[in-house]
Amino acid sequence: TLISPAPFADETSCQCQAPHEKLTIAQARQGTPVDRPVRVYADGIFDLFHSGHARALMQAKTLFPNSYLLVGVCSDDLTHKFKGFTVMNENERYEALRHCRYVDEVIRDAPWTLTPEFLEKHKIDFVAHDDIPYSSAGSDDVYKHIKEAGMFVPTQRTEGISTSDIITRIVRDYDVYARRNLQRGYTAKELNVSFISEKKYRFQNHVDKMKERVKNVEEKSKEFVYKVEEKSHDLIQKWEEKSREFIGNFLELFGPDGAWKQMFQERSGRMLQAFSPRQSPDSSPTRGCSPSRSPSPPWDINKTSPPSSPKAASASLSSTSEGDEDEK
């Protein structure tokens, strides 16, 4: 199941109890025998476990319809003797294999060359590995006897990825990784770096930080300028809209046919009517006097002035009556 890591072969009590009958590849591909899965074995160093390892194990697991994948991992002593120094120690490599989804069981301290006793102990039906001859331990191909026995099933290598490729990248970019680890708190002693190299790496880290700060300032400046330009464009656009609106309102009010001119003309007409009233029409009726004589005013300038006292007033009235009588 995928809810727990694969068990170690020397710690599990689950052993295959079925008789170990020799199978052909044709029988295994048909899904026989029905009473047990086909036991497939794949071995290796699995240093710096990567996708190439996982793909090889996936192929080994899916070679047959019903299979049980055992993975053998060589110890540090055996690996350093026949292949070279590893990056990960044996316990780290064991644990990496246990957490691969295609692995059913991990065999620790696996042998470099497979013996009949080892195959019989773990009841291995087939051995899966890439078909390239693997020369080691004085042999041109350590899987030669497995191939001759008809127990070898080839898998395909994944191009572009291998443990050697990963180590090559680290060696090639050693300064970059040394500077990174110094920056993360590792000491020069832990990295096996000299005093002068340590100072050089720290200075380079400081220079990189300054470059990053300058880059950030430039980016922020560009962003600020962009925002200012965008705001300026918006302000200019709004100003143009307001200007057109103001000019339109001004022309509507003070233009040649504007409302202000009409209002001024109306007020001017009212003022002229107030200062120059209408004249009498020519067809108005005339008074009962001759046209040659002008009408006399209601009073006569040659007459005496009005009396200043009641006695004088009575005297004037009496005289006037006497004159009237004479005229009669």
Side-chain angles (χ1 to χ4, degrees):
T1 62
L2 297 179
I3 60 175
S4 61
F8 292 121
D10 55 353
E11 293 180 355
T12 180
S13 60
C14 180
Q15 299 292 335
C16 181
Q17 302 298 329
H20 185 65
E21 298 178 358
K22 188 173 179 60
L23 299 175
T24 64
I25 293 179
Q27 290 175 331
R29 287 176 177 170
Q30 291 176 2
T32 55
V34 294
D35 59 340
R36 66 173 178 86
V38 178
R39 295 173 69 84
V40 180
Y41 176 80
D43 59 357
I45 309 303
F46 301 105
D47 192 19
L48 297 175
F49 189 82
H50 52 73
S51 61
H53 295 141
R55 287 177 62 87
L57 297 176
M58 178 189 70
Q59 295 176 60
K61 176 67 175 177
T62 57
L63 284 171
F64 308 110
N66 184 20
S67 61
Y68 185 87
L69 181 60
L70 301 93
V71 179
V73 184
C74 300
S75 64
D76 288 345
D77 293 339
L78 202 61
T79 303
H80 299 167
K81 178 180 178 181
F82 291 107
K83 189 170 184 178
F85 189 75
T86 58
V87 177
M88 301 170 65
N89 61 46
E90 58 185 24
N91 292 323
E92 292 171 337
R93 293 185 285 115
Y94 296 154
E95 288 297 324
L97 265 298
R98 292 186 69 197
H99 293 84
C100 178
R101 62 184 300 181
Y102 309 112
V103 178
D104 295 307
E105 188 175 315
V106 175
I107 301 176
R108 295 182 285 191
D109 193 13
W112 197 260
T113 303
L114 300 178
T115 62
E117 295 77 15
F118 179 83
L119 297 175
E120 179 64 26
K121 176 182 177 181
H122 295 282
K123 298 182 180 181
I124 296 171
D125 294 310
F126 299 98
V127 177
H129 200 273
D130 62 81
D131 201 15
I132 301 174
Y134 192 80
S135 59
S136 179
S139 174
D140 295 335
D141 189 0
V142 295
Y143 297 104
K144 183 178 179 180
H145 64 289
I146 303 295
K147 294 176 181 178
E148 292 174 350
M151 298 177 61
F152 185 86
V153 184
T155 58
Q156 300 296 322
R157 292 179 64 89
T158 302
E159 298 295 333
I161 184 69
S162 68
T163 302
S164 299
D165 291 338
I166 296 175
I167 294 175
T168 300
R169 297 176 199 173
I170 297 173
V171 173
R172 180 190 61 197
D173 300 325
Y174 169 78
D175 289 349
V176 176
Y177 294 118
R179 288 166 51 192
R180 184 190 68 175
N181 284 3
L182 282 173
Q183 191 174 3
R184 292 184 176 182
Y186 288 87
T187 63
K189 184 178 180 180
E190 291 174 330
L191 296 173
N192 195 23
V193 173
S194 65
F195 176 81
I196 296 176
S197 298
E198 178 189 5
K199 297 303 179 183
K200 181 184 70 174
Y201 293 149
R202 293 192 183 279
F203 177 76
Q204 289 175 345
N205 288 335
H206 183 71
V207 171
D208 290 344
K209 287 182 179 179
M210 293 299 296
K211 289 181 179 179
E212 188 67 23
R213 290 179 183 176
V214 172
K215 184 179 178 180
N216 292 335
V217 171
E218 290 179 354
E219 291 178 354
K220 290 181 180 179
S221 300
K222 290 180 181 179
E223 184 178 358
F224 176 75
V225 171
Y226 175 77
K227 288 183 178 180
V228 170
E229 291 178 351
E230 187 177 6
K231 288 289 185 181
S232 300
H233 179 74
D234 293 340
L235 290 174
I236 292 173
Q237 187 176 2
K238 291 180 180 179
W239 182 82
E240 290 178 350
E241 293 176 358
K242 291 294 183 181
S243 298
R244 285 194 294 267
E245 183 180 356
F246 176 78
I247 292 172
N249 295 335
F250 182 84
L251 293 176
E252 184 178 355
L253 184 63
F254 297 101
D257 298 326
W260 178 261
K261 182 178 180 181
Q262 295 178 0
M263 183 175 63
F264 180 76
Q265 290 177 351
E266 292 177 359
R267 290 187 178 182
S268 298
R270 292 176 185 175
M271 292 177 66
L272 290 175
Q273 289 179 3
F275 285 113
S276 57
R278 295 180 182 178
Q279 296 180 357
S280 301
D282 296 337
S283 60
S284 60
T286 58
R287 295 183 180 181
C289 59
S290 62
S292 60
R293 294 179 60 183
S294 60
S296 60
W299 64 85
D300 190 358
I301 59 174
N302 295 323
K303 289 184 179 182
T304 60
S305 59
S308 59
S309 62
K311 293 182 178 181
S314 59
S316 62
L317 287 174
S318 62
S319 62
T320 303
S321 61
E322 291 176 357
D324 291 337
E325 292 177 355
D326 294 337
E327 290 179 359
K328 295 178 179 179

